[in-house]
């Protein structure tokens, strides 16, 4: 099954990003295709490489980056939401891309499921 | 006739308009999706109904007012605007307090509509 | 339609709002802080028991574990992320937060 994910909350502040990640991992493990993770609202701050958490904590941006590269999952940050929050191409982790809300619409149309995580 | 390529996409606005950005960014998403000729609907539940309250003036709080944008939805062919009757009534509001024409529906009917959707996005 | 709820019912009205829109047979999955709703013998237990007459109810085990909840309201199923994916295979998703 083709699955899209919409993540509407930033990292660390809320569990949404962690749940979205665990869900994506489990879906891939069950043989599904996770087409894309679209980041909206504060969700766009999931992919800044400027984040530098303590060594004993998870690095959420690096985790999305790895998922993208290992499993061909597109990690997409909404351009309008990114501009508001200072997220630009210069700060993106590898594997993530800034794109428009039209892409989210395409994701909603082409996948059998769109699963939303937020606060 | 129902076009099988058209998806039923429902946006659920559940936050009050100015305390957080959810309603405003939700509206931005709705306006973009409207260009894709899908079967869109917008439902106002809980504090989401406050987004439609007449007489909002944000000039003194330093944020951009956007309640009038809801009036433009019709021009984007977003015509299915539903308001949860319970949410409206428990806030002491009625249809006359709202800036746009909407269909006020009971929760049961909205629940049935939800079940028909391909995609539901809460804002 | 699968409904997920991620807020404690002691903090917000998300759960009660969601319940007004449920259709018979729709499964409900509590995740994140939502799992506090199904801790056994709390104020919401009778509501969760009644709900189960028409709707299957689940809670995400990793979230229960994280919060030290070892007893859930009778009848509530516990599933892991794999089980969550399984529910999504069967249903479209309505995420309440």
């Amino acid at each position: 099954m083709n699955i899209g994910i919409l993540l509407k909350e930033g990292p660390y502040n809320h569990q949404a990003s962690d749940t979205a990640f665990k869900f994506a991992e489990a879906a891939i493990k069950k043989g599904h295709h996770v087409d894309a993770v679209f980041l909206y609202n504060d969700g766009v701050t999931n992919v800044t490489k400027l984040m530098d958490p303590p060594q004993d904590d998870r690095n959420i941006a690096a985790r999305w980056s790895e998922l993208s590269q290992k499993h061909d999952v597109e990690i997409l940050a909404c351009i309008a939401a990114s501009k508001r929050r200072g997220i630009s191409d210069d700060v993106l982790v590898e594997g993530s891309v800034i794109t428009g809300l039209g892409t989210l619409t395409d994701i909603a149309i082409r996948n059998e499921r769109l699963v939303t995580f937020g606060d | 006739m129902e076009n099988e390529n058209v998806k039923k996409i429902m946006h659920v606005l559940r936050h009050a308009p100015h305390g957080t950005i959810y309603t405003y960014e939700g509206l931005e998403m709705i306006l973009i999706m409207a260009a894709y000729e899908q079967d869109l609907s917008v439902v106002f539940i809980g504090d989401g109904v406050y987004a439609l309250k007449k007489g909002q003036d944000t000039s003194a709080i330093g944020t951009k007012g956007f309640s009038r944008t809801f009036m433009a939805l019709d021009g984007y062919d977003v015509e299915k605007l539903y308001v949860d009757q319970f949410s409206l009534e428990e806030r002491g509001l009625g249809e006359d307090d709202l800036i746009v024409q909407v269909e006020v529906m009971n929760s049961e009917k909205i629940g049935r509509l939800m079940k028909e959707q391909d995609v539901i996005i809460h804002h | 339609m699968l409904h997920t709820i991620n807020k404690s019912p002691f903090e917000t009205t998300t759960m009660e709002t969601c319940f007004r829109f449920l259709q018979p047979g729709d499964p409900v999955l509590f995740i994140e802080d939502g799992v506090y709703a199904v801790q056994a013998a709390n104020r919401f237990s009778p509501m969760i028991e009644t709900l189960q007459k028409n709707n299957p109810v689940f809670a995400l085990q990793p979230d229960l574990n994280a919060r030290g909840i070892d007893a859930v309201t009778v009848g509530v199923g516990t599933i892991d992320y794999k089980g969550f994916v399984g529910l999504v295979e069967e249903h479209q998703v309505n995420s309440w937060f």
Side-chain angles (χ1 to χ4, degrees):
Chain A
M1 178 175 276
N2 293 311
I3 300 173
I5 290 174
L6 171 62
L7 173 54
K8 297 180 83 251
E9 224 37 68
Y12 304 107
N13 222 358
H14 191 277
Q15 203 189 335
S17 174
D18 297 290
T19 307
F21 181 79
K22 291 283 182 188
F23 177 85
E25 263 191 340
I28 291 164
K29 209 169 168 188
K30 276 196 91 178
H32 298 296
H33 176 231
V34 177
D35 177 34
V37 178
F38 191 91
L39 308 170
Y40 199 54
N41 304 121
D42 277 357
V44 296
T45 60
N46 272 275
V47 285
T48 163
K49 63 185 176 196
L50 300 180
M51 75 174 65
D52 187 17
Q55 288 227 318
D56 60 353
D57 199 357
R58 69 231 188 270
N59 184 316
I60 287 180
R63 203 168 63 176
W64 286 124
S65 177
E66 204 182 300
L67 186 83
S68 149
Q69 291 169 73
K70 256 197 200 157
H71 300 286
D72 198 27
V73 181
E74 291 191 273
I75 311 289
L76 307 168
C78 167
I79 186 164
S82 293
K83 284 184 126 175
R84 277 197 185 100
R85 295 164 177 87
I87 301 299
S88 67
D89 288 338
D90 298 339
V91 302
L92 290 184
V93 284
E94 205 175 326
S96 58
V97 175
I98 293 178
T99 183
L101 281 166
T103 311
L104 173 65
T105 316
D106 286 333
I107 291 165
I109 294 169
R110 72 180 180 232
N111 287 286
E112 291 150 277
R113 297 286 184 275
L114 182 70
V115 189
T116 309
F117 297 91
D119 182 17
Chain B
M1 270 228 316
E2 247 178 79
N3 183 341
E4 286 192 359
N5 296 318
V6 169
K7 289 240 179 174
K8 286 179 190 279
I9 302 176
M10 177 183 278
H11 292 271
V12 185
L13 299 184
R14 299 215 350 263
H15 281 90
H18 309 300
T20 64
I21 200 170
Y22 297 115
T23 310
Y24 184 69
E25 287 195 322
L27 191 54
E28 286 191 327
M29 187 186 284
I30 292 161
L31 289 172
I32 299 290
M33 283 199 177
Y36 284 72
E37 297 182 340
Q38 302 299 301
D39 182 357
L40 280 197
S41 55
V42 184
V43 185
F44 300 82
I45 292 172
D47 281 350
V49 303
Y50 288 133
L52 299 178
K53 176 80 179 59
K54 276 180 186 163
Q56 297 177 44
D57 175 8
T58 62
S59 56
I61 63 169
T63 62
K64 197 168 141 186
F66 58 92
S67 62
R68 296 187 151 275
T69 312
F70 287 103
M71 295 161 87
L73 284 176
D74 195 44
Y76 287 83
D77 291 326
V78 181
E79 288 152 356
K80 295 179 176 172
L81 303 182
Y82 308 126
V83 168
D84 175 43
Q85 186 175 12
F86 181 93
S87 303
L88 198 61
E89 286 175 1
E90 73 173 346
R91 286 164 180 75
L93 299 174
E95 270 186 86
D96 292 346
D97 295 303
L98 308 180
I99 48 163
V100 285
Q101 265 218 308
V102 295
E103 190 173 341
V104 177
M105 271 187 194
N106 64 36
S107 311
E108 163 64 23
K109 202 167 168 195
I110 293 174
R112 282 204 301 270
L113 277 179
M114 283 177 164
K115 195 156 178 131
E116 294 172 6
Q117 302 301 311
D118 297 305
V119 173
I120 299 185
I121 300 173
H122 288 242
H123 296 282
Chain C
M1 171 98 19
L2 167 69
H3 299 257
T4 69
I5 297 169
N6 77 343
K7 290 287 176 301
S8 162
F10 295 98
E11 194 185 6
T12 76
T13 55
T14 300
M15 179 185 87
E16 286 168 88
T17 302
C18 166
F19 286 2
R20 283 198 285 119
F21 298 92
L22 285 181
Q23 300 296 296
D26 284 355
V28 176
L29 170 63
F30 290 97
I31 64 171
E32 300 171 0
D33 284 348
V35 299
Y36 287 115
V38 300
Q39 180 158 29
N42 73 13
R43 178 157 74 80
F44 296 96
S45 300
M47 196 189 278
I48 299 295
E49 281 176 33
T50 307
L51 178 69
Q52 292 182 73
K53 288 179 184 159
N54 290 312
N55 301 83
V57 179
F58 303 93
L60 204 56
Q61 187 71 55
D63 281 323
L64 291 167
N65 293 349
R67 289 158 180 82
I69 302 171
D70 45 22
V72 297
T73 303
V74 176
V76 173
T78 58
I79 59 175
D80 56 9
Y81 293 103
K82 188 178 168 191
F84 185 177
V85 174
L87 285 172
V88 172
E89 290 165 6
E90 305 283 320
H91 305 272
Q92 295 292 354
V93 190
N94 193 350
S95 308
W96 296 80
F97 30 76

